[in-house]
Amino acid sequence: MTPLQTTGLYDPAFEHDSCGFGLIASIDGKASTWLVDQAFSALAKMSHRGGVNADGITGDGCGVLIYRADTWLRTLAEEASIALASSFAAGLVFLDHDASAAASAQSQLEASLREEGLEPAGWRDVPVSDSPCGPLGLSSRPLIRQIFVNAPSELEEAVFDRALFRARRRAELALAEDAAFYVVSLSAATIGYKAMAAPGQLRAVFPDLQRTELLSSAVTFHQRFSTNTLPNWRLAQPFRMLAHNGEINTIRANRNWALARQPKLHSPLLDLSDIGDHVSRTGSDSQSLDNMFELLVEGGIDLLATSRILVPPAWSADENLDQDLEAFYQYYGLHTEPWDGPAGLVMCDARHAVCALDRNGLRPARWARSDDGHLIVASEAGLWDVPEQHILAKGRLGPGQILAVDLVEHTLLDSAAVDRINAQRAPFRQWLREGVVYLESHLIDPALAAEPMPADMLARFQKQFALTCEERDIVLKTLAETGAEATGSMGDDTPIAVMSQQSRSLYDYFRQGFAQVTNPPIDPLRERLVMSLVSQIGLEGNLFDLSVDSARQVLLSSPVLSQRKLRQLLALPHLVDRQVRIDLYYDEAIGLRKALENVCAQAEEAVAKGAAMVLLSDRYPQPGLTQIHALLATGAIHAHLTRKQLRCDCNLIVETGTARDSHHFACLIGFGATAVYPFLSYQTLFDMNQRGEIKGGENETVHEIGRTYRHGIRKGLLKILSKMGISTIAGYRGAQLFEIIGLDSEVVDMCFPGTPSRISGAGFVDIENEYRAQLARSRNPNYTLPAGGLLKAIPDGEYHMYNPPVVGHLQTAVRSGEMRHYRKYADAVNSRPPSTLRDLLQVRDDCTPISIDQVEPRERVLKRFDSAGMSLGALSPEAHEALAIGMNRLGARSNSGEGGEDPARYGTERSSKIKQVASGRFGVTAAFLASAEVLQIKIAQGAKPGEGGQLPGDKVNPLIARLRYAKPGIGLISPPPHHDIYSIEDLTELIHDLREVNPTALVSVKLVSHAGVGTIAAGVVKAGADLVTISGHDGGTGASPITSIRYAGTPWELGLAETHQTLVMNGLRDRVIVQTDGGLKTGLDVIKAAILGADSFGFGTGPMVALGCKYLRICHLNSCATGVATQNDILRRQHFVGAPEMVQHFFQFIADDVRGLLAGLGLHSLQELVGRTDLLRILPGITAKQGKLDLSRLLRSPEANASVRDYCVAGPLAPGPTDLALATVRDTRAAVANKQGGQFRHAISNVDRAIGGRLSGEIARTWGDQGMVDAPITLTFDGAAGQSFGAWNVGGLNLVLNGEANDGVGKGMAGGRIVVRPVEGVQFATQEASIIGNTCLYGATGGELFAAGRAGERFAVRNSGAVAVVEGVGDHGCEYMTGGTVVVLGRSGLNFGAGMTGGFAYVLDLERNFFDRYNHELVDINRISLEGMENHLQHLRALMQAHIDATGSAWAQQLFSDFRDVLHKVWLVKPKAASLAALNSELREAA
Amino acid sequence: MSERPFPFLKFARALPAEVSIPIRVADFKEINRDFVDGEAADQASRCIDCGNPYCSWGCPLGNRIPQWLKLVKDGRIEDAATLMHETNPLPEICGRVCPQDRLCEGICTLDEGFGAVTIGAIERSVTDEAIKRGWRPPEATSRTDKRVAIIGAGPAGLSAADRLVRAGVSADVYDRHEEIGGLLTFGIPAFKLEKDIVRTRRRVLEEQGVRFHLGVEIGRDIAFGKLVDDYDAVFMATGAYAAVDARLPGQDMPGVIVALPFLIANARHQLGTATDADVLPDLRGKRVVVLGGGDTAMDCVRTSVRLGAERVTCIYRRDEANMPGSRKEVRNAREEGVIFRFLAQPLAIVGNGVVDGVEIAETRLVEDGDERARCEVIKNSSQTIPADVVILSFGFLASPPEWCARFGIETDDNGRLKAGGGSRLPLQTSHAKVFAGGDNVRGADLVVRAVLDGREAARSILSQLNVVA
């Protein structure tokens, strides 16, 4: 493959991929060509799950792994005159086109095989047709040959496979320099074929695959969607063992720990010492996971165990789990960390074909079993050609479930069967009982608790560690009093740490990673059950060596230690003599670097001599010595011990005064700390408590004051993990999920190796200088704690870009409308001390200016301006409408935000042209979407990427409640992820859904800047978006936890430049409009953003300030005194002073400013400026740190494909609507136009996606959401519907589906009816079979759904009005529901009703375990008694009857005929806040 | 939907009750009573704790106002006093004499539409209360052998003294007057700042270790050079006492007096320390005209009212909005019966040997770019306001002591000491050991800026003496 350019900001390491996958197997072991044909046709039907490249043809790669196709292989060998032994292996090998390079690679592989005692039988050229590959795929096609290897006679196949494995690994090691060499697979049992081609073309690419001799009893297949277009054949899947749909979020930790663990792993079957790194450290995450699978399986752990060890279910939260099984997970958990993240896996080895899902079940996997013994599992239902009447059973894999075919014993193993096998492998439970020690707080000797320090000592520490009053009074106090982080608003307008002229905490240089698009964040509150902070102290053992000795561990419930726990740990008998304390102080004379080298050496020596506990401590200062920051020391020692392969022999405990908020802990743990003891936080809290400044909790003694604080930190840690989509602290530890901004490579390489750090910055000497000053202050008794100023603009504190003078000048300017006042504002901004990266980029002033008349008119500039999404709810209606009116009058666009919009505003000048689709889907209906010019999918927002939002109940007044389909006064939550976007192909689907409902709107995707956002953006473009927004970290008008405001996301300069460079390099730049936002204030900002690659510009805070916002940062309190961000009547009516003219003035000033600057540059339009980085000059800055920044990578101009322009001209890469979608509209044109209704019937298949959406859009545009209720149109379909069936369905549109449907049925439904029922004559019981997929009714606001079968995970999430009857649901049913009614006539999964604040559900509980399956936080469950609840009884009866009428469900009929008995087994699930009486009367009124 | 009443909507802005007008003009007592029964906490709770704490920005001292308002709200009086003293050595005085409506309160977010938080009143009452309860400013944690002389016991001098002793440096304060305070005692009338308050502060400072040498004039009683020799540093806080001379025709007539001597004489009469030099005209039944629009003019009009004048008129050449004095004082003066003539330029003092009136001309304001509006005399608009006594209050200039030149302490053309700039420490004069601040550097200015200079001069001195602070 071509080495990729990494000199700019684009780095191939950031690439992500995702996909569709599947597996077809004959349980009986019958090999057939039918099975192989089915595999290829199923693969072809998943094209829409894959990516298409810039050339519009080349796919991102697809492949198959075929089990035991011996007949075929023998034929191929025979034709190539290769003599095969009775036992042989075959494999495809990618080689260099250069003949001599290929020959030498071949001979190396042969030599390696011989070393393992194997005999290469010969090579054959694999025929390849070029035409089915696109130009991009073709340009990178390797030479493909096939090798055959004979096994020595009598060699067991397992031994043969291990030898093949070793030979391949040894050859890979020897050929590390040969970029082309790659073995697709080499095994006696399976053979892989893969190509960069569209999935329907795989057979066309490889004529081998068209041979009639090809028959098999099991085939896995995969279709890839990569976020880039740079071709790479080897990353197509399946790999040697598995194919993966999803993303491993913990990949960096997994790779690092795999390296650290290498010396621990000894297989009795296989020598692992000379095969190089156990897992690949580059390439895709899936590839590394495949390496690990292979390693464990070849090392002797079978595939069933390996799957469960590496990708375990959420076992720790399941209280009913079999104890032996729990012990299995716990035992292996002591020696490995999960490979965590969305994962649908299909695997195949000599013994098993397996499909497994990660603990969150975030990827779909539907299975069906036919009456002739075949099993299919795939991303979608409806992929094979087996009539429904021949299906014995069908279902879907739920979170953490596994389904396997034993290809030798010919049995089908479900999760329970696999678990039974695993639980019995060894006496795990007994070993754990003997080995594991739990440190439980209440068992610990209270005498070990920390004593409050003397006041002067505390003051010294506080000064030394640069505590401020602000941090103490806001951060620590809030944590200790409420157990949660403090909330702030209005983003972060301070300089990033490296730009600051103040001494800033080292932690401030670290920006947290977060999931967007390619993987979802987890909801740490509502889906807490999948998460765990359990940390262990002890030594890791050999995974291959099962023994009680490996179970000698201490388990902690979290890595945040109290003093008692720390002392107890250090005093444990088996550790007391095996520990070392390393004091983090050094003599300045030797310098910080040397000091770090010393502590690394100290740690290495101690561990080598047997120390199991390394305590790093800054608790014991010594006179004359300077501190080493705990994070530097932790990172350096962790990296050093990992390199020396000693890390797994010890635990790193950090005792530090530097750790105060959850981000600090996350940094320490993310860079390797096992556990952290934050002594200064506790001591400060003790002191505050003694002085009466904080109230402890009830019955909380002074010693326990830290408990609530710890609780808050733990919550914060969970949030940080969940933002990355990581479930367990074990997967986070050492994962380095940060981007460093502003540290020199000398620091990064030594302390944080491998962490993205792209602009250099402060070196050891700068860090040292800051600590020296801190230490001097600590010795000065007269120095009092500084006020702070990071959160609020305090005079003499940190600089704030929206400081009072800036706000004042801006308001004067927009009120007067006079340019001279704007100039004052702009001068105040443009002449500020360098605070942002762009402040160090100066626009050249040596161009030949042109007259301003020659510059494009103001109106054209204004068209490039949008206001950022701010919801009605966050903003007062007055402010929201003033903004919309102002923008509309300018010909620019305002953004509705995520709170819906009053239909009365549609089509008027009060309407927002951009309609936002966010995770809460509040008020997102067909009419809402149809009223837009731009539909913006908000993936993340600058102030809190990776997190959901919350509108406090105080702000939910009747208007807001109406628009959001909620109840007044009840708080509303937006989930962290879009529940219909867990990966890039899901985003493709949502974009498609939106295009269907509003074919004329541009679809925009809003991302937040971070390292790798460019590749995400490339993926977004490939997913078909028209517009992509890169938000900076500093934006944000909404309320967020303070740590999110301060530590997540990066400056837009980096993200925008990276995005522009990546898109240009991938040939995608001309297909998308790139927008940036985040703290844009003046024309100069716009000019610089355009130069860095933006076509369009978003403004959030600026127009708010123009409307009167004074930057009070109290948006979350509803008390905004300027009436901007409040729903309080008095404040809105009497104190809001904003007017649309102010907004107009603001943007007109900026547009004129831009025009003036363009004239100065001699340019006629903004378009000419896009990407012109030659017009910027880098300034040295005014501080030493600024001077060390290297911004040259921002200005790098990538080599662009000459045919591709570097600004948007070509339009999106979206495939058009399907014929069926067009037909639904064409057929009904008259029925809609005349409002007369009608009946229509069509066949449907899984490639027909979002069917109904296009028609709903037509109806909504013409008549509104409910306008056709009286003249319904009924569409009947036969077959398996593709995703998003009935999306955005409106009143008067009835869809009837005879067959089954995939994910997203009825998403955003506002009215009408959807019926899904099996075809007649099926053999399976409907209540046992899946009929609709995951995330159905997401964000529905009305309508009815009747489905005669089970629904998948996350049914009716955020439903606020739909009525549904289904015959079973998966986990997380009715999550965040705020209205509507759900009837579940079958089993429901875990965590039912989490975050549910409105509506209600009737749940059948035949197994009598629903009590353990619902989420107790916000809902309660009640029996429906015959007395006093007649209304419910009648209601339920009526719904069941309606279900029977619509679907003809036999199961429902049976229940109905037994209604009185069944009633005792039904729970009424309702929000605790709603009283039974109130519900009754509501029902009465409704009836 | 339940709506929580926000304190700033629940409680209106309220100052402590004022003494009724007829009673208050009968003597020189402070016109504001204290907050009672948690009023201070209620008022403090109105603060919305803005992300941009405008009040702190509006305060020359950068007082941490929202933070101490929160402490007041929580009833933590002593903690609030401690925090107030972190930025301000004299909070009870600033709380009384600052023109808050032009500083912290004028910029308070709530000022527009709600009424600003009563920052000044809270500041003063909390400090009074804390001191009454026995609270004292934090003591030095260690003492040094450094000594600093301070010339002038006005706000700048006191402020510096506080900072120095709190850093363990001894401070000797010399003042030619018989009581500390400078203009705080002798310039500002007691109805704005009762003299007990200054005496209490004197006691507090003395307890902290400040030594006052009163009635001692440097250059007369002690040579300046001796201070320079004996001390590690000298801080000059000598004020601005030279009246601006408007050279009005007739200004030398009997009945025309200058504001500051008038106020000082009155103060001394109140204190009972008046000498023959402190001539206080008998204003009973007289028509008094005060020329000028600053706070000193306001002090003069209101003092005149209390001294029994029949009719007190204030003449100012710009309009009310452009007055330099605090709006609060204008309101107080109006309430007490003072008549204001705005847009009136005095041309001459007329009379026949004794004052008979003031000839004025009408003016109009002319916008002049971004600067403050200029005023322009309207032709043929003159008229005469009758007057028995005319008080000139056109401001005061720094009057550098004669020794400055000898010691190489540079001044500018207006007599202001040059301080800071270049390689000098902030507020360091051209004599390395000598620092200066307050009105002698700025010209007549606000008390709070003098306090700021004292604080910052002390910081410079400590840094020069290597006493890090």
Side-chain angles (χ1 to χ4, degrees), chain B residues 96-380:
Chain B
R96 284 175 167 85
V97 305
C98 269
Q100 283 95 5
D101 50 25
R102 287 202 282 130
L103 301 171
C104 52
E105 295 182 15
I107 198 175
C108 170
T109 301
L110 296 182
D111 192 46
E112 211 176 323
F114 303 91
V117 178
T118 49
I119 297 168
I122 292 170
E123 184 180 31
R124 125 180 118 81
S125 61
V126 164
T127 315
D128 288 350
E129 173 64 22
I131 290 175
K132 202 184 296 171
R133 290 186 190 180
W135 173 92
R136 290 297 179 267
E139 284 177 29
T141 42
S142 64
R143 303 206 61 81
T144 70
D145 57 356
K146 306 291 184 196
R147 302 168 69 239
V148 174
I150 295 168
I151 309 173
L158 299 182
S159 167
D162 168 87
R163 293 290 123 154
L164 291 169
V165 293
R166 280 170 64 177
V169 171
S170 34
D172 285 291
V173 185
Y174 297 87
D175 197 292
R176 60 190 159 133
H177 292 104
E178 66 278 18
E179 180 52 273
I180 72 159
L183 288 186
L184 299 177
T185 298
F186 299 100
I188 296 173
F191 51 79
K192 278 166 70 179
L193 172 60
E194 265 178 31
K195 303 312 157 194
D196 278 355
I197 300 298
V198 182
R199 273 194 284 264
T200 301
R201 178 54 69 177
R202 174 176 174 180
R203 204 167 61 241
V204 169
L205 286 165
E206 284 172 341
E207 284 169 17
Q208 287 176 262
V210 177
R211 281 193 300 263
F212 290 108
H213 308 272
L214 301 178
V216 178
E217 189 170 344
I218 304 303
R220 181 189 74 188
D221 304 318
I222 299 177
F224 180 70
K226 188 164 165 50
L227 295 187
V228 175
D229 292 343
D230 288 358
Y231 289 89
D232 296 294
V234 178
F235 176 51
M236 289 176 59
T238 48
Y241 283 83
V244 170
D245 188 349
R247 297 172 200 267
L248 286 179
Q251 69 179 20
D252 296 330
M253 262 185 284
V256 179
I257 54 182
V258 178
L260 207 45
F262 166 70
L263 292 173
I264 291 171
N266 181 54
R268 283 201 161 134
H269 281 279
Q270 297 291 323
L271 285 170
T273 60
T275 63
D276 294 345
D278 300 306
V279 184
L280 193 60
D282 183 358
L283 298 185
R284 279 174 297 182
K286 298 276 177 59
R287 295 167 301 181
V288 178
V289 171
V290 177
L291 305 181
D295 275 340
T296 306
M298 295 307 104
D299 292 345
C300 291
V301 294
R302 297 179 67 197
T303 298
S304 301
V305 169
R306 283 163 177 75
L307 291 175
E310 182 195 293
R311 181 183 170 87
V312 182
T313 309
C314 174
I315 292 177
Y316 178 56
R317 60 195 178 120
R318 290 193 172 85
D319 62 3
E320 182 165 1
N322 279 291
M323 277 185 93
S326 119
R327 291 195 297 263
K328 173 175 77 178
E329 284 306 291
V330 176
R331 181 177 60 81
N332 283 334
R334 270 220 179 86
E335 283 175 3
E336 291 166 9
V338 175
I339 298 157
F340 284 88
R341 281 297 304 262
F342 293 109
L343 297 169
Q345 169 92 47
L347 301 175
I349 294 165
V350 296
N352 199 356
V354 286
V355 171
D356 189 20
V358 180
E359 188 188 347
I360 61 166
E362 288 178 21
T363 63
R364 65 170 163 244
L365 293 178
V366 183
E367 287 295 333
D368 195 12
D370 287 342
E371 297 309 308
R372 192 170 156 205
R374 198 163 45 80
C375 71
E376 196 176 84
V377 172
I378 300 171
K379 279 183 189 147
N380 302 324

Side-chain angles (χ1 to χ4, degrees), chain A residues 691 793 802 820 954 1110 1112, chain B residues 4 51-52 54 57 76 370:
Chain A
R691 291 190 292 115
Y802 269 113
R820 66 191 170 105
D954 288 355
K1110 288 192 183 172
L1112 309 181
Chain B
R4 263 178 306 155
N52 270 346
Y54 292 90
W57 285 73
R76 308 180 66 85
D370 287 342

Side-chain angles (χ1 to χ4, degrees), chain A residues 1067-1145:
Chain A
L1068 293 168
R1069 180 63 184 86
D1070 60 342
R1071 297 201 172 265
V1072 71
I1073 300 167
V1074 176
Q1075 183 180 72
T1076 200
D1077 70 23
L1080 298 180
K1081 292 183 185 62
T1082 68
L1084 190 58
D1085 285 340
V1086 171
I1087 293 287
K1088 289 177 183 174
I1091 292 177
L1092 292 175
D1095 302 296
S1096 167
F1097 312 88
F1099 296 80
T1101 310
M1104 281 302 93
V1105 172
L1107 284 170
C1109 161
K1110 288 192 183 172
Y1111 228 79
L1112 309 181
R1113 293 183 189 268
I1114 52 173
C1115 317
H1116 53 295
L1117 301 177
N1118 200 26
S1119 60
C1120 175
T1122 62
V1124 173
T1126 178
Q1127 301 304 329
N1128 180 291
D1129 273 349
I1130 298 172
L1131 297 176
R1132 284 166 43 202
R1133 299 241 170 82
Q1134 299 175 14
H1135 299 283
F1136 178 68
V1137 298
E1141 292 71 28
M1142 299 174 183
V1143 174
Q1144 289 170 254
H1145 287 152

Side-chain angles (χ1 to χ4, degrees), chain A residues 580-643:
Chain A
V580 60
R581 187 181 93 200
I582 298 181
D583 284 320
L584 302 180
Y585 290 91
Y586 71 103
D587 186 341
E588 275 174 34
I590 66 166
L592 184 51
R593 167 188 279 281
K594 181 74 189 147
L596 282 163
E597 283 167 6
N598 287 352
V599 292
C600 287
Q602 237 180 308
E604 181 187 343
E605 192 193 340
V607 177
K609 285 187 182 156
M613 295 272 278
V614 178
L615 177 68
L616 308 182
S617 178
D618 52 29
R619 167 76 180 75
Y620 307 96
Q622 287 152 51
L625 299 190
T626 305
Q627 74 185 91
I628 305 175
H629 194 284
L631 181 57
L632 289 176
T634 304
I637 290 174
H638 173 74
H640 183 76
L641 293 179
T642 303
R643 256 190 313 264

Side-chain angles (χ1 to χ4, degrees), chain A residues 369-452:
Chain A
R369 188 155 59 87
S370 66
D371 56 8
D372 64 351
H374 284 104
L375 174 78
I376 182 170
V377 198
S379 297
E380 294 192 3
L383 294 183
W384 71 356
D385 307 323
V386 174
E388 286 288 291
Q389 289 81 358
H390 289 283
I391 303 298
L392 282 184
K394 57 163 72 177
R396 61 168 214 296
L397 260 65
Q401 289 184 346
I402 186 168
L403 191 63
V405 178
D406 186 327
L407 299 166
V408 173
E409 299 286 330
H410 303 306
T411 52
L412 179 66
L413 304 166
D414 62 7
S415 292
V418 171
D419 287 344
R420 264 194 307 279
I421 294 169
N422 283 336
Q424 287 159 13
R425 287 177 194 269
F428 298 115
R429 183 140 66 110
Q430 189 192 332
W431 291 348
L432 292 173
R433 204 181 298 133
E434 288 168 28
V436 168
V437 178
Y438 294 87
L439 272 197
E440 308 260 6
S441 317
H442 62 277
L443 298 176
I444 297 175
D445 181 358
L448 293 171
E451 285 306 315

Side-chain angles (χ1 to χ4, degrees), chain A residues 252-270:
Chain A
R252 244 185 283 179
N254 299 130
R255 285 174 173 164
N256 288 346
W257 287 112
L259 175 69
R261 209 171 278 134
Q262 260 165 236
K264 294 253 164 216
L265 281 186
H266 305 285
S267 163
L269 304 174
L270 186 64

